[in-house]
Amino acid sequence: MPVLLHVDDNASIRYARSRTLSSAGYTVIDLETGEEALDVATASAPDGILLDVRLPGMDGFATARALRQNPRLLDVAIVLITSGAV
């Protein structure tokens, strides 16, 4: 099964989205911060990353830029998502 990192600081949104993705056949790793995403992505090289734009600390844009600095993660799809105004 493809592995997706799902990074969102809103627990309700994270829960609903993860259930949907899991039922579609993905292995989902839920995370709350950009820093966690960097650590886990570096260790596991997932197939894709769903990344909330509005995160505490390192926002989604900064996290995406940092992820792209890692040569191992250059082919990993990153999708920036948001449920509010940016």
Side-chain angles (χ1 to χ4, degrees):
M1 283 200 267
V3 176
L4 295 178
L5 296 188
H6 176 224
V7 189
D8 198 309
D9 60 319
N10 184 307
S12 299
I13 291 172
R14 200 171 52 244
Y15 175 79
R17 197 176 287 133
S18 290
R19 297 254 330 201
T20 301
L21 292 166
S22 294
S23 68
Y26 294 94
T27 298
V28 181
I29 300 171
D30 286 323
L31 305 166
E32 292 183 43
T33 69
E35 293 83 1
E36 288 176 331
L38 290 174
D39 291 342
V40 174
T42 299
S44 66
D47 297 296
I49 301 170
L50 294 177
L51 183 58
D52 186 15
V53 169
R54 301 178 83 184
L55 294 170
M58 181 185 288
D59 70 15
F61 295 115
T63 302
R65 283 191 296 272
L67 289 164
R68 286 295 178 234
Q69 296 302 309
N70 184 334
R72 273 187 72 211
L73 302 175
L74 290 176
D75 292 332
V76 175
I78 299 173
V79 178
L80 290 164
I81 54 178
T82 187
S83 58
V86 178

